[in-house]
Amino acid sequence: MTHRPPIRIATAGVAVTSLLALSACGGGDDAADADAWILTGGGWPTIDEDLERWNEQAEDGQQISVEEFENDAYKERIRTVVGSGEAPTLIMSWTGGALNEYVAQDRVVDLTDEVGELESRIHESVWQNGEVEGAQYAVPMNDVQPVVMYYNQELFDQVDLEVPQDWSDVEEAIEVFNENDITPFSVAGGSVWPALMWLQYLTDRHGGEEVFQTVVDGEAGAWSDESILFALETIQELATEGGFDADTFTGVDAGQNEDARLLADGEAAMLLQGSWVYATVHSDFPDFAESGDFGFAEFPVLEDGAGDPSNIVGNPANFWSVSADSSEEEQQVALDYITEHLYNEETVQTMVEGGGLPPLNDIDDVIAETEDADFLQFADELVAGANHFQLSWDQAVAPEVAQPLMENLENILLGTITPEEFAENMNAYQD
């Protein structure tokens, strides 16, 4: 789930662009200057501007050169250059499997003793994503995007229901909405990746965050865990027994915001989607956004589940690591940037005013001044109160596993494979 923009900012893809040419990657000719690779579109111009400000105020030898990449081009190149010892000084990742790989190969620096002050500002549920085997190898560097449940209050009023707080409420809502010819949940099954949010939340609520961690750790047979099978079975039940619109949901395209339109037009009562959809609704369906019927809530509790109901899923920011293959001087520049400049006041203000949510515990006043204060405060409390913030599975697994994961999930939605066959297919990719 990386092509999704932060709220109130649209994604725009452009080709690879070299902004500065102060040094080559991997410890180039300049003994002190560092370098960083970032992405295009979304909120990345804010990061680019932040690095430019660092360069403007930094002393000679403290400069950081920047290159921009499209998302897919970045993913194709970064693992190669890290593996060959030619990585940029600041390595951006989504953590998960990629970070584990970098640590196992000794390609990134242990930052534990350097980032204590920054840690004190970051929500724990986000910070822990940069930790590997008790050491901090990556730190968050932009905004978070939790997945939340949006709803249409007018439809709930129409059938005299409260927004579901637990799974019994969900089952009742499905029954009542179907009796009133209203689709309970809008799901963009045609895009597949929105269904991953359902798989993640249901697995976590049923078995806790440890279930997927065994997948990330490469344990044999990890995809056959009963909680993953429960989640897959529940998704297929939602698809065939009235939770989703069985006749149309596999044709709904999230890229065209069709899932949000169904909610806004009153054709569906609820929508599980990322925080970026809040901005989508405001930009594409302003009448609904301003109607007072556009609501948002946490994913319901699974009464008998072993998972912590405070757990959330989504995108817990992108992270910076420091290349162990860079020179000591380059590493020091990167560390100075992280410890002295990251999440500075001006950049945080820009992020929040653009609708982004930095994972910081000291920005209540900044949030309160924005036009999106209610939603940002809700999302901030969600992240602050979470015991665990699960990175999107398509980012958490090894890159070569992401595509098979989405293909098998699509077959689950289409009903062409069983949960057990899904697990068998995915277990083939475990180490």
Side-chain angles (χ1 to χ4, degrees):
M1 291 188 281
T2 59
H3 298 279
R4 283 134 261 175
I7 58 179
R8 301 290 173 99
I9 297 176
T11 300
V14 296
V16 176
T17 304
S18 178
L19 300 181
L20 297 172
L22 299 178
S23 69
C25 67
D29 296 334
D30 194 301
D33 293 346
D35 58 346
W37 289 4
I38 64 175
L39 303 186
T40 59
W44 288 99
T46 299
I47 304 302
D48 180 32
E49 293 166 4
D50 181 69
L51 288 160
E52 286 186 10
R53 281 194 295 274
W54 166 265
N55 287 329
E56 289 171 358
Q57 57 84 40
E59 298 177 355
D60 290 343
Q62 286 276 304
Q63 300 291 292
I64 301 174
S65 65
V66 181
E67 285 191 66
E68 288 184 310
F69 292 82
E70 288 184 329
N71 183 73
D72 291 345
Y74 180 84
K75 289 182 176 178
E76 289 176 2
R77 293 192 60 181
I78 190 63
R79 291 182 74 203
T80 300
V81 297
V82 171
S84 64
E86 295 294 326
T89 316
L90 283 165
I91 302 171
M92 187 280 289
S93 79
W94 290 261
T95 67
L99 180 61
N100 290 344
E101 183 177 291
Y102 300 160
V103 173
Q105 296 174 353
D106 294 324
R107 295 299 188 185
V108 290
V109 174
D110 182 351
L111 303 173
T112 307
D113 294 336
E114 308 289 342
V115 295
E117 185 172 345
L118 178 63
E119 180 182 6
S120 69
R121 299 182 62 202
I122 305 292
H123 293 316
E124 174 60 24
S125 65
V126 176
W127 185 258
Q128 62 191 215
N129 279 275
E131 182 180 307
V132 178
E133 297 180 350
Q136 199 73 26
Y137 286 95
V139 297
M141 43 77 76
N142 54 9
D143 57 316
V144 295
Q145 298 175 321
V147 172
V148 305
M149 187 71 77
Y150 299 98
Y151 60 89
N152 186 324
Q153 184 62 53
E154 181 179 12
L155 297 183
F156 277 90
D157 291 342
Q158 182 178 323
V159 300
D160 194 25
L161 277 179
E162 299 293 326
V163 176
Q165 300 295 310
D166 55 38
W167 201 252
S168 295
D169 295 339
V170 169
E171 293 175 332
E172 180 185 9
I174 290 173
E175 180 179 353
V176 172
F177 280 123
N178 276 289
E179 290 172 352
N180 288 272
D181 296 324
I182 297 171
T183 300
F185 293 102
S186 172
V187 180
S191 301
V192 183
W193 58 260
L196 194 59
M197 303 173 186
W198 281 95
L199 178 56
Q200 291 181 224
Y201 260 126
L202 287 167
T203 299
D204 193 284
R205 289 287 190 268
H206 188 271
E209 66 266 24
E210 297 84 2
V211 174
F212 186 67
Q213 188 59 45
T214 64
V215 173
V216 175
D217 292 343
E219 291 189 18
W223 289 98
S224 295
D225 186 278
E226 63 173 345
S227 294
I228 296 178
L229 295 177
F230 163 82
L232 293 166
E233 291 167 358
T234 302
I235 289 171
Q236 289 194 322
E237 289 173 0
L238 289 167
T240 59
E241 298 180 12
F244 310 152
D245 186 332
D247 295 329
T248 63
F249 89 93
T250 56
V252 176
D253 184 357
Q256 299 300 316
N257 301 324
E258 293 173 351
D259 51 349
R261 182 194 63 75
L262 292 171
L263 181 79
D265 287 353
E267 295 181 42
M270 293 171 280
L271 169 65
L272 185 67
Q273 257 287 10
S275 58
W276 56 88
V277 165
Y278 178 85
T280 299
V281 171
H282 276 268
S283 62
D284 291 7
F285 314 104
D287 291 344
F288 173 61
E290 303 299 332
S291 67
D293 291 320
F294 180 36
F296 34 83
E298 301 177 40
F299 190 83
V301 174
L302 188 63
E303 293 91 329
D304 298 327
D308 189 323
S310 74
N311 285 357
I312 55 176
V313 309
N315 297 324
N318 295 100
F319 283 66
W320 284 131
S321 294
V322 176
S323 171
D325 293 299
S326 296
S327 69
E328 291 184 5
E329 292 83 359
E330 291 167 338
Q331 291 179 13
Q332 189 59 55
V333 174
L335 285 170
D336 288 346
Y337 170 77
I338 287 173
T339 58
E340 299 173 9
H341 190 80
L342 193 62
Y343 290 125
N344 60 80
E345 183 176 347
E346 183 172 358
T347 297
V348 168
Q349 187 79 32
T350 302
M351 285 182 181
V352 175
E353 288 177 351
L357 180 63
L360 304 171
N361 56 30
D362 55 5
I363 58 172
D364 288 350
D365 292 343
V366 181
I367 290 175
E369 295 175 356
T370 68
E371 59 180 300
D372 301 311
D374 288 348
F375 180 74
L376 288 175
Q377 188 65 45
F378 160 77
D380 185 56
E381 291 175 358
L382 206 61
V383 177
N387 170 66
H388 181 74
F389 193 155
Q390 173 61 60
L391 171 66
S392 300
W393 286 7
D394 55 345
Q395 297 297 334
V397 298
E400 63 271 18
V401 181
Q403 186 61 31
L405 171 60
M406 302 313 292
E407 290 172 354
N408 278 282
L409 182 56
E410 180 177 19
N411 287 328
I412 284 290
L413 298 178
L414 295 172
T416 56
I417 63 173
T418 66
E420 288 75 17
E421 289 170 328
F422 174 100
E424 180 180 355
N425 295 341
M426 294 307 301
N427 281 333
Y429 294 93
Q430 293 297 96
D431 291 333

